[in-house]
Structure formats: structure tokens, C-alpha cells
Amino acid sequence: MNDFFNSRIDEYEEHQLNAIAGAREFYPFTAKQLPMHPHARVLDLGCGTGLELRYYFQLNPSARITGIDLADKLLQALAEKYSDKDLTFVQGSYFDISFDACCYDAVVSVESLHHFTLEEKIPLYTKIFEALIPGGFFLLTDYFAQTESEEIGFRQELLRLKAAQGICDSAFYHYDTPLTVAHEIQALQAAGFSEIEVLGQWSATHVIKAQKDSV
């Protein structure tokens, strides 16, 4: 996964904005849903070069962001763009990295989590739930399978391709295997979120907000 994105650093932003239906609308929409109080603490999973942060910093320039991404070149580009902002960078997998408990006002992820199974997501979403302060929320902007049969088809094709190429490891590969919205909500509920709503939709991309109880 990191090799894929590092090799595409020069065209990464153009691809994200122009090849994904609705991207020029859902990136600023996502930013508008994030906390607006001064010095809000936000954890950005799969932050890339910070396309959502471009809009968020316009609205909340004092926000304190921790960005996690596998690709060091994307993080370097992000650091260069926002050298005057309160940014902390962590290179690695958000599955492996520990999150501080009750630390963040919000966690956000945009077009990053459509490669993983429900079973893989539940432990990650549990970490997110525990990292949020009471009343904090997880904002997920991602694209989803339209039907359960489509979801199964994506996963089967990935397994077929890996078998055909003799790949038997458990590393993450850049092949899209999105869940349905219903299965995504199921994973969030299993992690402890009870207040979950879809805030918007652009083609196959949805914005889902999952809030932690305030007490």
C-alpha cells in the first residue's frame, strides 16, 4: 500500500479530486463537520497530503492535527504545505499504531478505509472509540459497495488475484474492497458507537458520523 501511494505522489491530489465522483464537494463538506472550537484535537487516519485539511484549516486555523499515513512522501508533502500549523505526523499503519485514550475531539478518515473487511475494522473502530473524548465523534467519508453481492464480489476478486500471483501474506494491497453502508454501521456499532448517521452522499461516497456518548 505504501509503495503504491509513494510512487504516485506527483498525481495524487489530481487523482483524488478529479477521478472520484463528488470529491470537490465532499472534501469541503467533511471539513465543515469537524470541530470548530479553537485548538480542537483531531486525528486524521490515512491523511495523505491533507486534502480535507486544506478546507478545515480555513475554518479552524488553530486546530491540532495528528495525521497517520503509510506513505512517507505524502506526509512530507503535507508537512511542507502546512509548516505553520499544529501538525504531528506518524508514518505507519493505523491498525498497528496505538492511539492515546480520551484524547481527541474527533477522528476523521477520507477515502482510506475501503480496503478492509468488517472483521478487520472492528478492532480499529474500537481503538477510535476509546481515543475519543466523551461526546467526540468519528467522521468517515468513504465509498461503499451498493449491494452485498457487490461487496462479496470485490473481496472474491482480490482473493483470486492474490492466488493467481502466488501472494499468501497478510499485507495490505491497494485493491478496493468496500463494505456496504449497512455493514460499515455494523462494524461501528460493534466498536461501541450507538449514535450513527449518514450526513451526505455523492455517488458511492457517503459521509458517516458516529458519535461517542457524552457520559
Side-chain angles (χ1 to χ4, degrees):
M1 193 88 73
N2 55 331
D3 292 339
F4 176 89
F5 285 108
N6 273 335
S7 67
R8 287 159 175 79
I9 179 63
D10 291 337
E11 66 262 21
Y12 172 80
E13 291 197 354
E14 180 180 357
H15 172 82
Q16 292 298 109
L17 290 172
N18 298 318
I20 305 174
R24 292 187 179 274
E25 288 77 41
F26 67 66
Y27 274 108
F29 179 87
T30 299
K32 290 178 182 177
Q33 311 312 311
L34 292 171
M36 292 300 152
H37 61 272
H39 310 293
R41 297 164 297 177
V42 177
L43 175 63
D44 192 333
L45 304 181
C47 58
T49 59
L51 285 170
E52 60 274 15
L53 298 180
R54 171 195 302 180
Y55 304 100
Y56 186 41
F57 282 135
Q58 293 172 4
L59 300 168
N60 190 354
S62 71
R64 295 180 288 174
I65 308 295
T66 298
I68 298 176
D69 205 283
L70 281 169
D72 60 294
K73 290 184 179 179
L74 298 187
L75 289 176
Q76 181 180 350
L78 176 59
E80 291 171 355
K81 282 199 299 183
Y82 301 115
S83 59
D84 61 329
K85 302 301 182 185
D86 190 343
L87 276 165
T88 300
F89 307 102
V90 183
Q91 183 189 359
S93 167
Y94 37 64
F95 287 94
D96 300 330
I97 294 166
S98 298
F99 306 157
D100 292 335
C102 293
C103 180
Y104 298 101
D105 299 291
V107 178
V108 63
S109 183
V110 181
E111 299 292 353
S112 178
L113 280 159
H114 51 264
H115 306 288
F116 312 111
T117 65
L118 183 148
E119 292 77 16
E120 289 169 330
K121 287 182 174 182
I122 291 173
L124 174 63
Y125 290 173
T126 301
K127 286 202 307 180
I128 291 171
F129 183 86
E130 294 170 350
L132 289 166
I133 65 169
F137 60 88
F138 174 38
L139 196 63
L140 174 62
T141 299
D142 215 330
Y143 92 87
F144 296 91
Q146 301 303 295
T147 64
E148 189 169 345
S149 61
E150 186 178 74
E151 176 188 312
I152 293 170
F154 283 128
R155 179 59 53 179
Q156 289 179 336
E157 179 63 8
L158 172 61
L159 296 176
R160 185 194 69 79
L161 289 170
K162 290 180 69 174
Q165 297 177 52
I167 299 172
C168 56
D169 60 40
S170 59
F172 295 135
Y173 291 88
H174 189 267
Y175 187 87
D176 296 348
T177 54
L179 303 182
T180 62
V181 170
H183 285 162
E184 196 75 33
I185 291 174
Q186 183 181 340
L188 291 164
Q189 290 172 331
F193 292 101
S194 57
E195 187 176 338
I196 303 167
E197 58 180 324
V198 177
L199 301 181
Q201 178 182 354
W202 292 262
S203 187
T205 294
H206 297 64
V207 179
I208 299 175
K209 182 179 180 180
Q211 188 146 0
K212 184 175 181 176
D213 291 340
S214 58
V215 293

